[in-house]
């Protein structure tokens, strides 16, 4: 079924998380700690949801940074935590994103975002700071619900807010856990294979409706 609405994840899918690497190089002397931090950030976001707890994604990111500092024997200052939070709000888009979103918009698709990151009061979103907000009808955050993806209520809530059926929505994400969550809630799923990402293939798990290299390839696939 051709979707009417494309629901984009933000972190890693649209915005380049690797842009944060210099922060980790300065703190730990090893930029590769970024990947450990991001994986732990996702792990503990899911942990909080399962445990019926919630703090926003930026605060959780700071806490995970401090935890890794404790593990590595590195003192993390309040200033370093604040600098990381701010850097999370200013990540640049991947090179394919702007042209891909323009093509999808030209094709007539409704475009929205759904992110784990909070929308801070009186401050532009990360999507806005990346110059992408003009492509999106709505920007949804999990912060209002107080749970993190892939909780089913988040995907269903987006469809309800847009007054469309879940089956008319395509969740676009670089993470298999996000597409699995969306498809389990009734949406379709498109996996963008950013470096280090692939589908999780096992009997009983929904497989992506589409698997593509980037947003431009997604536009080409949906145009056919």
């Amino acid at each position: 079924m051709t979707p009417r609405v494309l629901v984009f994840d933000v972190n890693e899918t649209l915005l380049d998380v690797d842009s944060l690497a210099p922060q980790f190089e300065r703190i730990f002397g090893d930029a590769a700690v970024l990947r450990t931090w991001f994986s732990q950030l996702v792990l503990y976001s899911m942990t909080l949801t399962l445990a019926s707890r919630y703090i926003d994604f930026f605060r959780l990111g700071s806490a995970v940074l401090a935890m890794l500092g404790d593990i590595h024997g590195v003192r993390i200052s309040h200033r370093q935590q604040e600098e990381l939070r701010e850097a999370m709000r200013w990540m640049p888009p991947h090179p394919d994103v702007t042209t891909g979103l323009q093509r999808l918009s030209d094709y007539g698709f409704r475009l929205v975002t759904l992110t784990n990151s909070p929308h801070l009061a009186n401050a532009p979103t990360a999507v806005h700071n990346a110059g992408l907000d003009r492509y999106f009808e709505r920007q949804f955050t999990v912060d209002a619900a107080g749970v993190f993806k892939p909780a089913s209520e988040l995907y269903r809530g987006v469809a309800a807010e847009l007054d469309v059926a879940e089956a008319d929505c395509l969740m676009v994400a670089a993470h298999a856990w996000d597409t699995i969550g969306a498809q389990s809630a009734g949406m379709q799923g498109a996996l963008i294979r950013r470096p280090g990402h692939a589908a999780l293939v096992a009997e009983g798990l929904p497989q992506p409706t589409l698997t593509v290299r980037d947003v431009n390839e997604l536009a080409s696939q949906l145009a056919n």
Side-chain angles (χ1 to χ4, degrees), residues 4-224:
R4 296 169 56 194
V5 178
L6 309 185
V7 185
F8 280 86
D9 172 54
V10 174
N11 301 317
E12 260 197 312
T13 302
L14 297 177
L15 305 184
D16 187 2
V17 170
D18 285 337
S19 66
L20 303 176
Q23 305 271 340
F24 291 83
E25 178 67 38
R26 286 193 294 271
I27 295 171
F28 296 99
D30 184 1
V33 178
L34 162 65
R35 282 292 147 190
T36 302
W37 169 80
F38 193 72
S39 295
Q40 292 291 300
L41 177 55
V42 171
L43 169 65
Y44 280 98
S45 71
M46 296 178 183
T47 300
L48 293 186
T49 295
L50 289 170
S52 300
R53 301 279 182 171
Y54 186 78
I55 60 174
D56 76 52
F57 204 59
F58 292 164
R59 290 172 58 203
L60 182 58
S62 295
V64 172
L65 180 68
M67 181 183 74
L68 289 178
D70 194 24
I71 291 169
H72 289 272
V74 175
R75 181 182 176 276
I76 306 297
S77 68
H78 178 71
R79 179 178 177 179
Q80 287 169 324
Q81 290 177 311
E82 288 297 315
E83 287 175 347
L84 179 60
R85 288 193 207 190
E86 188 66 8
M88 291 174 72
R89 297 183 53 245
W90 286 94
M91 294 184 291
H94 290 287
D96 57 279
V97 167
T98 301
T99 55
L101 291 177
Q102 184 63 62
R103 290 174 63 195
L104 290 167
S105 180
D106 291 343
Y107 295 155
F109 290 104
R110 298 175 67 185
L111 308 180
V112 302
T113 60
L114 173 61
T115 181
N116 275 337
S117 296
H119 293 170
L120 304 179
N122 302 316
T125 66
V127 168
H128 175 92
N129 290 337
L132 303 176
D133 55 306
R134 65 186 182 275
Y135 297 110
F136 295 104
E137 173 184 335
R138 295 277 299 275
Q139 295 183 50
F140 294 97
T141 172
V142 307
D143 207 36
V147 296
F148 289 105
K149 293 188 290 180
S152 295
E153 64 196 79
L154 296 169
Y155 307 103
R156 293 184 179 126
V158 168
E161 282 285 327
L162 298 174
D163 196 26
V164 295
E166 288 88 353
D168 288 329
C169 299
L170 177 71
M171 184 71 210
V172 183
H175 314 106
W177 52 262
D178 208 349
T179 58
I180 289 171
Q183 289 176 270
S184 298
M187 289 186 178
Q188 302 177 65
L191 181 68
I192 294 186
R193 290 199 58 176
R194 298 293 183 198
H197 294 280
L200 181 64
V201 181
E203 185 177 353
L205 296 182
Q207 295 306 298
T209 314
L210 293 171
T211 300
V212 295
R213 291 187 305 272
D214 56 30
V215 182
N216 271 314
E217 186 177 0
L218 175 67
S220 296
Q221 291 281 343
L222 291 176
N224 292 335

